[in-house]
Amino acid sequence: MLEVRALPLAELRARTSEKWREYPADVLPLFVAETDFPLAPTISSALRRAVDRGDTGYVASRTPLASTYSDFALRRFGWQPDPARMRSTADVSMGIVEILRRVTRPGERVVVTPPVYPPFYDLVSEAGAEVERVPLRDTGSSWELDLDGIRAAFESGATAMLLCNPHNPTGTVHDRDALTALAELAEEFGVSVISDEIHAPLAQPGAGFTPFLHTGAAAAAVGYAVVSASKAFNLAGLKCALMVTASDATTAVVRGLPVEVEWRTGQFGLLAAVAAFTEESDPWLDGLLRTLDANRVLLHDLLATRLPAARYRIPDAGYLAWIDLTALGWGDNPARRILKEARVALHFGPAFGEEGRGHVRLNFGTSPEILTEAVERIATLVDR
């Protein structure tokens, strides 16, 4: 089995991306969704070949990206979307906002399910629509879609919904029954559902990830999925995502987008995504999942030992931990104190919605050593 290990801290600090340039060198950065692992060898090789031959021009009108993703989805999720029903763009956020512009009118309401990825709020506004919040239901042991609340929003006139599956920041994989019920509700009320599935390749084995469009005819009729290799393979800076559809009507919407939406796909992003989605990259991805599995459990154990007042549920997918620090009494935005006094940068909980007060989001896509050091630093604040 292939083992995927994070790079040493000294090498990571030589990186020039947001994670390693936002804060001074004495800060451990565990905020933005970048990982600390080397690229999959298939991706490194593909990019080196492109540089060696000067393959740095425009993205071609015909590429293997859609068919390669279709094969990847079949291997990983048991779902084979039609390559003819896909178009690429620069990133998932761009795909979301461009679809929203076509399926909503100015001032119409779009359902989001906080706590949720902060740019969702901005993307709705960018498309000219308004946010309608229907928070996830906290069952005490997990989070789930509030289908009654979503129905009420649809009944009152919401015309679209942004679904996050797997959910950011909780790492929740919404189950097939809930997704099917959501699709049927959306079809009943004529609501478009745009599913952000950027974290899907990082669903842990046994988590039961189901692509929204794979739940049946209702989802095919109302749904759009936006997918990318960027989170699993750490390719955000290379700019490539796919908008996926499953019916004639939704395909017509995506095909009707301006050609510039597709031209914004990065050439290196496309080459890297094709390499990521090939079967040759599967052993690396499986190794990454094993590493993240160990880290999510390590974080649970560290918090139980050093910060027992923290509430953390091991996520189903991804490398993001949603941690409730309310009991520590560090205010609505505890990440501020943690940054200032412990020199650990975490994502601010309130940015995900008012449900994030007292919470932080921690990126455990790093080494066990960095993760342990971060928790130890935070734990020292309890004794002050």
Side-chain angles (χ1 to χ4, degrees):
M1 292 190 298
L2 180 65
E3 187 174 5
V4 178
R5 294 183 178 180
L7 295 170
L9 184 58
E11 290 186 40
L12 293 168
R13 292 208 180 277
R15 289 181 171 181
T16 61
S17 61
E18 171 69 2
K19 183 175 184 180
W20 296 99
R21 286 294 177 265
E22 178 65 19
Y23 294 106
D26 65 326
V27 172
L28 289 178
L30 301 179
F31 66 112
V32 72
E34 300 179 23
T35 59
D36 295 348
F37 307 103
L39 288 178
T42 49
I43 296 173
S44 297
S45 297
L47 294 176
R48 288 193 188 99
R49 288 195 301 270
V51 170
D52 289 344
R53 60 178 174 250
D55 190 6
T56 55
Y58 293 109
V59 168
S61 58
R62 291 183 297 276
T63 78
L65 176 60
S67 59
T68 305
Y69 176 73
S70 179
D71 291 343
F72 174 87
L74 179 62
R75 292 194 313 274
R76 309 298 294 198
F77 314 135
W79 170 53
Q80 191 164 29
D82 183 351
R85 296 188 183 278
M86 305 182 200
R87 286 187 78 184
S88 70
T89 190
D91 53 38
V92 165
S93 290
M94 180 172 288
I96 288 171
V97 77
E98 292 296 340
I99 294 170
L100 274 177
R101 284 180 172 140
R102 270 67 187 179
V103 301
T104 63
R105 295 175 181 173
E108 290 184 339
R109 288 175 287 119
V110 177
V111 172
V112 301
T113 54
V116 74
Y117 181 55
F120 270 22
Y121 304 102
D122 297 329
L123 297 177
V124 172
S125 298
E126 185 179 346
E130 297 181 1
V131 169
E132 173 141 352
R133 301 169 66 261
V134 181
L136 294 180
R137 290 184 64 251
D138 184 346
T139 69
S141 59
S142 64
W143 290 271
E144 60 185 32
L145 296 171
D146 179 0
L147 293 170
D148 291 336
I150 291 169
R151 171 180 279 278
F154 291 174
E155 286 178 337
S156 68
T159 58
M161 176 173 170
L162 293 187
L163 173 68
C164 197
N165 184 39
H167 195 87
N168 176 3
T170 64
T172 305
V173 168
H174 299 300
D175 65 44
R176 177 180 286 273
D177 289 345
L179 295 174
T180 301
L182 171 62
E184 290 171 352
L185 277 176
E187 185 178 41
E188 178 182 350
F189 291 97
V191 172
S192 298
V193 177
I194 305 168
S195 184
D196 174 353
E197 299 181 3
I198 197 169
H199 293 275
L202 293 172
Q204 285 290 336
F209 174 75
T210 302
F212 180 70
L213 295 177
H214 191 38
T215 60
V222 302
Y224 304 80
V226 192
V227 303
S228 177
S230 62
K231 285 294 178 282
F233 294 90
N234 206 41
L235 305 174
L238 300 186
K239 296 300 178 185
C240 181
L242 274 169
M243 299 169 287
V244 185
T245 56
S247 73
D248 290 346
T250 55
T251 299
V253 170
V254 170
R255 284 180 179 166
L257 295 173
V259 68
E260 286 299 327
V261 173
E262 192 162 1
W263 274 99
R264 290 168 187 153
T265 309
Q267 168 72 339
F268 275 13
L270 188 143
L271 295 173
V274 170
F277 289 139
T278 59
E279 193 168 2
E280 288 75 15
S281 289
D282 283 359
W284 186 91
L285 180 56
D286 291 337
L288 176 64
L289 287 168
R290 287 190 292 271
T291 296
L292 295 179
D293 181 30
N295 281 0
R296 64 180 182 159
V297 174
L298 172 63
L299 178 59
H300 176 273
D301 294 345
L302 288 169
L303 292 173
T305 302
R306 301 293 287 124
L307 282 169
R311 293 180 61 231
Y312 159 66
R313 296 171 191 157
I314 295 176
D316 302 322
Y319 47 79
L320 304 173
W322 188 237
I323 306 172
D324 183 354
L325 300 179
T326 305
L328 292 171
W330 293 350
D332 286 349
N333 193 1
R336 290 191 182 277
R337 182 182 179 191
I338 291 168
L339 175 60
K340 181 179 179 180
E341 299 182 29
R343 309 306 284 164
V344 177
L346 306 177
H347 207 311
F348 294 170
F352 295 82
E354 61 184 66
E355 294 75 15
R357 289 179 294 181
H359 291 66
V360 296
R361 194 192 74 177
L362 180 151
N363 178 345
F364 58 82
T366 186
S367 68
E369 293 78 14
I370 290 176
L371 186 58
T372 301
E373 172 65 17
V375 174
E376 288 293 334
R377 289 189 187 190
I378 296 169
T380 64
L381 302 184
V382 176
D383 301 326
R384 294 184 186 179

